[in-house]
Amino acid sequence: MQFVRYTTGSTPQWGVRRDDEIVPLAGLREDVTYQQLTDGGFLNVVEDAADAAAEQAVPVEKARLLAPVPRPGKIVCVGLNYHDHAEEQDKGVPERPLLFGKSDTSVTNPGDPIVNPSEVEELDYEVELGVVIGRTAKDVNASEAREYVAGYTAINDVSARDAQFEDGQYLRGKSYDTFAPMGPTLVPDEHIDPNTLDVACRVNGETLQESNTEQFIFDVNEVVEYISGIMTLRPGDVISTGTPGGVGIFRDPPELLEAGDEIDVEIEGIGTLTNHVVDE
Ligand code: MG
């Protein structure tokens, strides 16, 4: 089941995507919350509600899709988390996940522009599986970690490499407004295995990243265990789990983003998140 946040006018609402249609969930007695997505009983209620509302479905092209988590409490990112991405940088496999932050205000919607700031010359893409937290998690074990996850979405961890490398830490280079496109759907943990998904990134139709989350150095369970051992994770927090090899800055020659470029970030079972670049 693919949840979507969308609008056909001005009011954001939740729906379920079925093929090329969105079934509205306006008739549900309870609001859709990240915590509810951890409850199998609630997911059954949603399935029935979507069946009942099937005649009210709207074609996807008539809806504006929105980021499934528009205002995350925090975004915790994992660097160097695919074997092939560590190799392209000649870096060894890290002993523990490398964590950094991305501003919550960097989130943007599917289809909206990625704004390239005037001072940035090295704009880059990164396909990443996003983990949306559904229950407050502190000191959870890997074996139980998935019980705390609402579901999964796709994130483009847009990066200003010049800012990232000049600063020697990541916050500025990762946090400009619009640097976290997110969507197009949110798939409950119960309905997908996050550790066996094909992931890809295309720029203007050319595939530049192609991998599978089986390449994770630390899988979703281990990442949630590690982060929750450091900080409390709350419903609506987002973990961006790192990117595979093939990012623009490490290509030979580098292939960085320019105004007019269209980026597709695709994750199996979640869909394709498309955004284009404009200059500030
Ligand atoms: Mg990243």
Side-chain angles (χ1 to χ4, degrees):
M1 184 165 20
Q2 295 179 321
F3 283 81
V4 290
R5 266 187 83 245
Y6 73 103
T7 180
T8 53
S10 56
T11 310
Q13 58 181 312
W14 284 100
V16 170
R17 182 164 179 163
R18 288 182 168 174
D19 299 319
D20 291 328
E21 291 184 326
I22 296 170
V23 182
L25 294 176
L28 276 185
R29 284 189 187 181
E30 299 166 280
D31 289 339
V32 176
T33 65
Y34 305 115
Q35 179 137 2
Q36 292 273 37
L37 265 60
T38 65
D39 177 354
F42 178 75
L43 298 178
N44 290 337
V45 168
V46 169
E47 196 81 60
D48 291 345
D51 289 343
E55 286 187 2
Q56 296 157 38
V58 294
V60 169
E61 63 268 20
K62 292 208 168 162
R64 180 170 174 243
L65 294 175
L66 303 171
V69 191
R71 293 190 173 192
K74 54 184 169 285
I75 305 174
V76 183
C77 301
V78 185
L80 279 184
N81 197 30
Y82 281 73
H83 287 282
D84 51 8
H85 186 46
E87 282 162 17
E88 77 181 347
Q89 297 178 62
D90 291 325
K91 297 206 169 152
V93 172
E95 287 178 20
R96 67 185 83 85
L98 169 69
L99 302 184
F100 60 91
K102 206 168 167 78
S103 165
D104 56 319
T105 46
S106 59
V107 172
T108 198
N109 298 313
D112 282 1
I114 296 163
V115 179
N116 189 17
S118 54
E119 71 269 26
V120 169
E121 293 183 351
E122 295 182 344
L123 189 74
D124 209 345
Y125 50 82
E126 295 187 348
V127 54
E128 305 206 0
L129 178 71
V131 179
V132 179
I133 298 298
R135 292 170 54 201
T136 299
K138 183 72 174 96
D139 294 327
V140 304
N141 291 320
S143 60
E144 298 168 347
R146 302 265 299 276
E147 295 170 21
Y148 295 83
V149 174
Y152 305 93
T153 189
I155 293 174
N156 186 349
D157 179 17
V158 178
S159 307
R161 300 300 184 195
D162 34 5
Q164 180 184 343
F165 298 144
E166 279 166 21
D167 289 2
Q169 56 113 313
Y170 294 3
L171 187 62
R172 178 168 68 104
K174 298 282 190 175
S175 291
Y176 286 95
D177 288 357
T178 73
F179 273 27
M182 183 193 293
T185 72
L186 174 60
V187 179
D189 176 77
E190 197 163 296
H191 296 173
I192 200 168
D193 176 358
N195 299 314
T196 60
L197 299 175
D198 287 332
V199 301
C201 181
R202 294 181 294 274
V203 178
N204 302 325
E206 183 190 357
T207 300
L208 298 179
Q209 293 186 281
E210 195 166 32
S211 190
N212 187 285
T213 57
E214 286 177 344
Q215 285 276 319
F216 275 149
I217 296 169
F218 303 99
D219 70 14
V220 166
N221 310 52
E222 293 166 320
V223 163
V224 171
E225 176 185 90
Y226 181 72
I227 297 173
S228 79
I230 297 165
M231 65 189 90
T232 300
L233 292 168
R234 296 198 188 105
D237 286 350
V238 173
I239 300 169
S240 202
T241 54
T243 203
V247 300
I249 192 73
F250 295 122
R251 302 186 80 88
D252 185 20
E255 290 192 41
L256 294 158
L257 298 172
E258 295 175 355
D261 285 346
E262 187 172 88
I263 304 105
D264 296 325
V265 155
E266 182 172 9
I267 300 186
E268 182 183 4
I270 293 169
T272 302
L273 169 68
T274 301
N275 299 85
H276 60 282
V277 178
V278 299
D279 283 330
E280 185 180 35

mmCIF file of all heavy atoms in Angstrom, residues 77-80 85 100 102 125-128 156-159 161 170 174 240-243 247, ligand 1:
data_model
loop_
_atom_site.group_PDB
_atom_site.id
_atom_site.type_symbol
_atom_site.label_atom_id
_atom_site.label_comp_id
_atom_site.label_asym_id
_atom_site.label_seq_id
_atom_site.Cartn_x
_atom_site.Cartn_y
_atom_site.Cartn_z
ATOM 1 N N CYS A 77 20.972 11.965 8.774
ATOM 2 C CA CYS A 77 21.495 11.327 7.562
ATOM 3 C C CYS A 77 22.656 10.411 7.901
ATOM 4 O O CYS A 77 23.422 10.676 8.838
ATOM 5 C CB CYS A 77 21.988 12.380 6.577
ATOM 6 S SG CYS A 77 20.726 13.546 6.060
ATOM 7 N N VAL A 78 22.786 9.357 7.101
ATOM 8 C CA VAL A 78 23.910 8.438 7.229
ATOM 9 C C VAL A 78 24.802 8.635 6.004
ATOM 10 O O VAL A 78 24.318 8.633 4.869
ATOM 11 C CB VAL A 78 23.437 6.976 7.308
ATOM 12 C CG1 VAL A 78 24.623 6.052 7.564
ATOM 13 C CG2 VAL A 78 22.375 6.802 8.381
ATOM 14 N N GLY A 79 26.089 8.859 6.242
ATOM 15 C CA GLY A 79 27.032 8.974 5.138
ATOM 16 C C GLY A 79 27.726 7.641 4.924
ATOM 17 O O GLY A 79 27.740 6.792 5.814
ATOM 18 N N LEU A 80 28.277 7.424 3.750
ATOM 19 C CA LEU A 80 29.098 6.219 3.488
ATOM 20 C C LEU A 80 28.407 4.938 3.927
ATOM 21 O O LEU A 80 28.971 4.165 4.684
ATOM 22 C CB LEU A 80 30.422 6.318 4.260
ATOM 23 C CG LEU A 80 31.529 7.163 3.641
ATOM 24 C CD1 LEU A 80 32.781 7.047 4.512
ATOM 25 C CD2 LEU A 80 31.848 6.673 2.238
ATOM 26 N N HIS A 85 29.639 2.983 -2.642
ATOM 27 C CA HIS A 85 29.920 4.416 -2.471
ATOM 28 C C HIS A 85 31.205 4.604 -1.664
ATOM 29 O O HIS A 85 31.989 5.525 -1.925
ATOM 30 C CB HIS A 85 28.741 5.091 -1.773
ATOM 31 C CG HIS A 85 28.837 6.582 -1.653
ATOM 32 N ND1 HIS A 85 29.210 7.411 -2.697
ATOM 33 C CD2 HIS A 85 28.580 7.414 -0.614
ATOM 34 C CE1 HIS A 85 29.176 8.678 -2.281
ATOM 35 N NE2 HIS A 85 28.805 8.708 -1.018
ATOM 36 N N PHE A 100 25.134 12.738 10.075
ATOM 37 C CA PHE A 100 25.125 14.195 9.960
ATOM 38 C C PHE A 100 23.672 14.642 9.839
ATOM 39 O O PHE A 100 22.767 13.814 9.715
ATOM 40 C CB PHE A 100 25.981 14.673 8.788
ATOM 41 C CG PHE A 100 25.552 14.166 7.438
ATOM 42 C CD1 PHE A 100 24.650 14.883 6.661
ATOM 43 C CD2 PHE A 100 26.048 12.976 6.950
ATOM 44 C CE1 PHE A 100 24.261 14.431 5.413
ATOM 45 C CE2 PHE A 100 25.657 12.501 5.707
ATOM 46 C CZ PHE A 100 24.765 13.232 4.932
ATOM 47 N N LYS A 102 20.549 17.329 8.330
ATOM 48 C CA LYS A 102 20.049 18.108 7.222
ATOM 49 C C LYS A 102 18.907 18.923 7.815
ATOM 50 O O LYS A 102 18.102 18.405 8.592
ATOM 51 C CB LYS A 102 19.531 17.121 6.162
ATOM 52 C CG LYS A 102 19.525 17.585 4.745
ATOM 53 C CD LYS A 102 19.264 16.386 3.822
ATOM 54 C CE LYS A 102 18.942 16.865 2.434
ATOM 55 N NZ LYS A 102 20.072 17.286 1.613
ATOM 56 N N TYR A 125 23.414 15.232 -6.747
ATOM 57 C CA TYR A 125 22.230 14.435 -6.428
ATOM 58 C C TYR A 125 22.655 13.235 -5.588
ATOM 59 O O TYR A 125 23.811 12.790 -5.677
ATOM 60 C CB TYR A 125 21.603 13.910 -7.739
ATOM 61 C CG TYR A 125 22.663 13.242 -8.610
ATOM 62 C CD1 TYR A 125 23.059 11.918 -8.401
ATOM 63 C CD2 TYR A 125 23.345 13.983 -9.574
ATOM 64 C CE1 TYR A 125 24.070 11.344 -9.142
ATOM 65 C CE2 TYR A 125 24.361 13.407 -10.326
ATOM 66 C CZ TYR A 125 24.724 12.087 -10.095
ATOM 67 O OH TYR A 125 25.746 11.526 -10.820
ATOM 68 N N GLU A 126 21.729 12.671 -4.805
ATOM 69 C CA GLU A 126 21.973 11.400 -4.102
ATOM 70 C C GLU A 126 20.628 10.707 -3.880
ATOM 71 O O GLU A 126 19.803 11.200 -3.112
ATOM 72 C CB GLU A 126 22.635 11.622 -2.723
ATOM 73 C CG GLU A 126 24.034 12.212 -2.781
ATOM 74 C CD GLU A 126 24.717 12.247 -1.411
ATOM 75 O OE1 GLU A 126 24.033 12.026 -0.384
ATOM 76 O OE2 GLU A 126 25.931 12.505 -1.373
ATOM 77 N N VAL A 127 20.393 9.573 -4.509
ATOM 78 C CA VAL A 127 19.188 8.795 -4.204
ATOM 79 C C VAL A 127 19.356 8.140 -2.826
ATOM 80 O O VAL A 127 20.404 7.561 -2.536
ATOM 81 C CB VAL A 127 18.907 7.708 -5.277
ATOM 82 C CG1 VAL A 127 20.086 6.797 -5.508
ATOM 83 C CG2 VAL A 127 17.673 6.879 -4.897
ATOM 84 N N GLU A 128 18.307 8.263 -1.992
ATOM 85 C CA GLU A 128 18.384 7.645 -0.666
ATOM 86 C C GLU A 128 17.019 7.110 -0.239
ATOM 87 O O GLU A 128 15.986 7.726 -0.495
ATOM 88 C CB GLU A 128 18.875 8.648 0.390
ATOM 89 C CG GLU A 128 20.206 9.273 -0.006
ATOM 90 C CD GLU A 128 21.057 9.767 1.136
ATOM 91 O OE1 GLU A 128 20.656 9.650 2.301
ATOM 92 O OE2 GLU A 128 22.160 10.274 0.828
ATOM 93 N N ASN A 156 15.910 12.732 -2.223
ATOM 94 C CA ASN A 156 17.090 13.141 -2.976
ATOM 95 C C ASN A 156 17.917 14.012 -2.027
ATOM 96 O O ASN A 156 17.527 15.131 -1.712
ATOM 97 C CB ASN A 156 16.662 13.924 -4.231
ATOM 98 C CG ASN A 156 17.825 14.252 -5.147
ATOM 99 O OD1 ASN A 156 18.993 14.090 -4.778
ATOM 100 N ND2 ASN A 156 17.511 14.729 -6.333
ATOM 101 N N ASP A 157 19.037 13.475 -1.543
ATOM 102 C CA ASP A 157 19.904 14.214 -0.602
ATOM 103 C C ASP A 157 20.784 15.164 -1.412
ATOM 104 O O ASP A 157 21.972 14.924 -1.622
ATOM 105 C CB ASP A 157 20.736 13.221 0.223
ATOM 106 C CG ASP A 157 21.673 13.926 1.204
ATOM 107 O OD1 ASP A 157 21.465 15.127 1.478
ATOM 108 O OD2 ASP A 157 22.616 13.260 1.687
ATOM 109 N N VAL A 158 20.138 16.241 -1.871
ATOM 110 C CA VAL A 158 20.846 17.222 -2.716
ATOM 111 C C VAL A 158 21.973 17.853 -1.901
ATOM 112 O O VAL A 158 21.797 18.166 -0.717
ATOM 113 C CB VAL A 158 19.859 18.293 -3.231
ATOM 114 C CG1 VAL A 158 20.583 19.344 -4.057
ATOM 115 C CG2 VAL A 158 18.742 17.632 -4.046
ATOM 116 N N SER A 159 23.123 18.016 -2.536
ATOM 117 C CA SER A 159 24.327 18.409 -1.812
ATOM 118 C C SER A 159 25.103 19.468 -2.580
ATOM 119 O O SER A 159 25.336 19.319 -3.779
ATOM 120 C CB SER A 159 25.252 17.194 -1.636
ATOM 121 O OG SER A 159 24.554 16.105 -1.046
ATOM 122 N N ARG A 161 28.541 20.400 -2.971
ATOM 123 C CA ARG A 161 29.828 19.785 -2.594
ATOM 124 C C ARG A 161 30.860 20.824 -2.191
ATOM 125 O O ARG A 161 31.685 20.571 -1.306
ATOM 126 C CB ARG A 161 30.368 18.962 -3.768
ATOM 127 C CG ARG A 161 29.488 17.831 -4.225
ATOM 128 C CD ARG A 161 29.230 16.828 -3.153
ATOM 129 N NE ARG A 161 28.450 15.700 -3.677
ATOM 130 C CZ ARG A 161 27.834 14.809 -2.911
ATOM 131 N NH1 ARG A 161 27.900 14.896 -1.591
ATOM 132 N NH2 ARG A 161 27.147 13.833 -3.462
ATOM 133 N N TYR A 170 29.008 18.915 7.294
ATOM 134 C CA TYR A 170 28.032 18.823 6.207
ATOM 135 C C TYR A 170 26.833 19.755 6.304
ATOM 136 O O TYR A 170 26.095 19.865 5.332
ATOM 137 C CB TYR A 170 27.487 17.386 6.142
ATOM 138 C CG TYR A 170 28.467 16.322 5.751
ATOM 139 C CD1 TYR A 170 29.809 16.602 5.528
ATOM 140 C CD2 TYR A 170 28.039 15.013 5.599
ATOM 141 C CE1 TYR A 170 30.690 15.593 5.171
ATOM 142 C CE2 TYR A 170 28.915 13.999 5.229
ATOM 143 C CZ TYR A 170 30.238 14.298 5.019
ATOM 144 O OH TYR A 170 31.095 13.303 4.664
ATOM 145 N N LYS A 174 24.267 20.594 2.941
ATOM 146 C CA LYS A 174 23.123 19.694 2.809
ATOM 147 C C LYS A 174 21.796 20.368 3.118
ATOM 148 O O LYS A 174 20.752 19.722 2.976
ATOM 149 C CB LYS A 174 23.305 18.516 3.790
ATOM 150 C CG LYS A 174 24.543 17.658 3.540
ATOM 151 C CD LYS A 174 24.337 16.710 2.389
ATOM 152 C CE LYS A 174 25.478 15.688 2.291
ATOM 153 N NZ LYS A 174 25.210 14.699 1.227
ATOM 154 N N SER A 240 17.677 9.492 6.644
ATOM 155 C CA SER A 240 18.055 9.293 5.248
ATOM 156 C C SER A 240 19.273 8.377 5.257
ATOM 157 O O SER A 240 20.292 8.682 5.880
ATOM 158 C CB SER A 240 18.348 10.644 4.581
ATOM 159 O OG SER A 240 18.226 10.529 3.180
ATOM 160 N N THR A 241 19.129 7.216 4.606
ATOM 161 C CA THR A 241 20.006 6.085 4.910
ATOM 162 C C THR A 241 21.296 6.012 4.093
ATOM 163 O O THR A 241 22.005 5.020 4.154
ATOM 164 C CB THR A 241 19.228 4.767 4.719
ATOM 165 O OG1 THR A 241 18.667 4.780 3.392
ATOM 166 C CG2 THR A 241 18.131 4.625 5.737
ATOM 167 N N GLY A 242 21.608 7.076 3.339
ATOM 168 C CA GLY A 242 22.851 7.076 2.581
ATOM 169 C C GLY A 242 22.632 6.726 1.127
ATOM 170 O O GLY A 242 21.562 6.240 0.738
ATOM 171 N N THR A 243 23.655 6.997 0.325
ATOM 172 C CA THR A 243 23.502 6.855 -1.121
ATOM 173 C C THR A 243 24.514 5.856 -1.681
ATOM 174 O O THR A 243 25.603 5.700 -1.126
ATOM 175 C CB THR A 243 23.662 8.249 -1.796
ATOM 176 O OG1 THR A 243 23.010 8.234 -3.065
ATOM 177 C CG2 THR A 243 25.122 8.638 -1.972
ATOM 178 N N VAL A 247 27.616 9.121 -7.508
ATOM 179 C CA VAL A 247 27.281 10.537 -7.347
ATOM 180 C C VAL A 247 28.142 11.371 -8.298
ATOM 181 O O VAL A 247 29.218 10.951 -8.736
ATOM 182 C CB VAL A 247 27.461 11.018 -5.885
ATOM 183 C CG1 VAL A 247 26.564 10.232 -4.963
ATOM 184 C CG2 VAL A 247 28.912 10.944 -5.444
HETATM 185 MG MG MG B 1 23.577 11.414 1.461
#
